[in-house]
Amino acid sequence: MTTPDTPTESATPARPHRPRRPRSTGSMQARTLAGYAGTYVVLAVAAVLTLGPFLFSVMTAFTSSTQFAQEGPLAIPAPPVIDNIIELFTSADGFVTPVAVTVQMVAVILVGQMVFSVLAAYAFAQLRFPGRDLLFWVYIATLMVPQVVVVVPLYLMMSEMGLRNTFWALILPFVLGSPYAIFLLRENFRGVPSELMDAMRIDGAGTLRLLWHLVVPLNRPIVVTLVLITVVTHWNNFMWPMVITSGPEWRVITVATSALQSQYNNNWTLVMAGTTLAMLPLVILMIVFQKQITSSVGDTTMR
């Protein structure tokens, strides 16, 4: 007999240990390489679909009308010509006036939006006043209203004030700030360390000095990004300028490009030259300020 303190031997014999077979490293590497290859194929297809229309536009803009008619739209310019660009600026309904009007419109809207958006965002982020949060969210709620809904009321307002087909009609609906810019700036301004702001206040800095010498420099990447977004948005604005203006006097570049398609229906080289010219400044801005855009996106994500 066994005592309670003496362990009994198991009646079932222990199973022999079988070593696990190592997985095939070759098959794992093959699957990894196949995954990378599939990713690059998808990215390459997406890049072709995205960049293809722009490349086609540039190629056609520097192709002579004779070569385009003989060889088709996919022919490489041989040799490249600038006759289409010259014709755009020398014809009666050329691009001189639209480019000038568009540059002035974008410049005024950019200055107005950045100044008023920065001031409003600072007020919503740092100042204390009754109804601040309610007013902010009511204003931000206007982002959910499509632009097409407010076109008719804005048109009636401008017509009643006698501003239809004027430069003021192009800029007034947009110059006093942007809900999106105010929202983005407010979220970034709230992250400014209060210790730095208190230190500048002790040194005698007022609100404007505090804003322009501390808050804005600390948020320079997001400010640069908003500048680019504003320029791109209003350079590409088409519906409102088309509705509120008529004739060539205050025609912007998007409306002028659209007019080329109806005026020169068969001259696609001239139409593509206008399209290329319209998108060229935006491409240059993107290339020049891509580091600031990447930095602002990273900072916003971290916050």
Side-chain angles (χ1 to χ4, degrees):
M1 296 181 62
T2 60
T3 61
D5 296 333
T6 304
T8 60
E9 294 183 359
S10 175
T12 305
R15 295 181 180 178
H17 176 70
R18 295 181 181 180
R20 295 182 179 179
R21 295 181 180 179
R23 295 182 179 179
S24 175
T25 57
S27 61
M28 293 180 62
Q29 292 179 354
R31 286 195 296 268
T32 303
L33 292 176
Y36 285 147
T39 302
Y40 282 113
V41 167
V42 172
L43 292 176
V45 172
V48 170
L49 293 177
T50 303
L51 299 177
F54 298 102
L55 181 61
F56 172 77
S57 176
V58 173
M59 288 174 52
T60 308
F62 291 97
T63 302
S64 64
S65 56
T66 303
Q67 181 186 357
F68 184 84
Q70 293 177 352
E71 301 181 15
L74 299 180
I76 298 176
V81 296
I82 60 173
D83 297 342
N84 299 311
I85 307 295
I86 295 175
E87 187 175 353
L88 280 178
F89 289 97
T90 56
S91 60
D93 296 328
F95 265 38
V96 176
T97 299
V99 169
V101 172
T102 305
V103 170
Q104 295 176 52
M105 179 189 71
V106 171
V108 175
I109 292 176
L110 175 63
V111 173
Q113 279 204 9
M114 295 312 300
V115 171
F116 289 108
S117 297
V118 166
L119 292 174
Y122 179 80
F124 285 128
Q126 300 294 339
L127 302 184
R128 298 290 184 268
F129 55 89
R132 182 192 66 173
D133 294 337
L134 177 62
L135 180 60
F136 172 74
W137 289 112
V138 169
Y139 184 64
I140 295 301
T142 59
L143 285 171
M144 296 185 292
V145 180
Q147 184 182 3
V148 68
V149 175
V150 299
V151 166
V152 174
L154 281 176
Y155 178 84
L156 294 177
M157 290 171 58
M158 296 299 165
S159 298
E160 290 296 326
M161 292 188 294
L163 297 178
R164 190 176 67 86
N165 200 30
T166 63
F167 182 73
W168 291 106
L170 291 172
I171 66 171
L172 278 180
F174 312 103
V175 75
L176 298 178
S178 164
Y180 176 75
I182 292 174
F183 172 77
L184 203 59
L185 288 171
R186 173 185 178 265
E187 297 305 311
N188 284 267
F189 287 176
R190 293 175 67 183
V192 177
S194 58
E195 294 81 4
L196 295 177
M197 302 183 70
D198 294 338
M200 288 197 66
R201 288 192 181 98
I202 293 173
D203 291 339
T207 301
L208 291 180
R209 183 182 172 188
L210 190 68
L211 179 62
W212 299 115
H213 291 277
L214 175 65
V215 178
V216 171
L218 287 178
N219 294 274
R220 184 174 299 171
I222 197 65
V223 172
V224 173
T225 302
L226 287 175
V227 168
L228 296 179
I229 291 175
T230 304
V231 171
V232 171
T233 300
H234 294 283
W235 184 275
N236 291 330
N237 195 3
F238 172 73
M239 183 171 59
W240 176 245
M242 182 186 64
V243 170
I244 202 62
T245 61
S246 58
E249 184 179 3
W250 296 110
R251 179 179 292 173
V252 298
I253 195 168
T254 52
V255 178
T257 305
S258 176
L260 286 176
Q261 299 180 12
S262 58
Q263 186 177 359
Y264 300 95
N265 192 19
N266 295 323
N267 193 353
W268 286 108
T269 57
L270 188 63
V271 174
M272 290 302 168
T275 304
T276 302
L277 184 66
M279 70 179 180
L280 182 61
L282 306 182
V283 174
I284 295 175
L285 283 176
M286 181 63 188
I287 294 174
V288 172
F289 294 102
Q290 59 179 336
K291 292 184 178 179
Q292 286 80 355
I293 296 175
T294 304
S295 176
S296 67
V297 172
D299 291 344
T300 305
T301 304
M302 293 297 294
R303 293 184 183 184

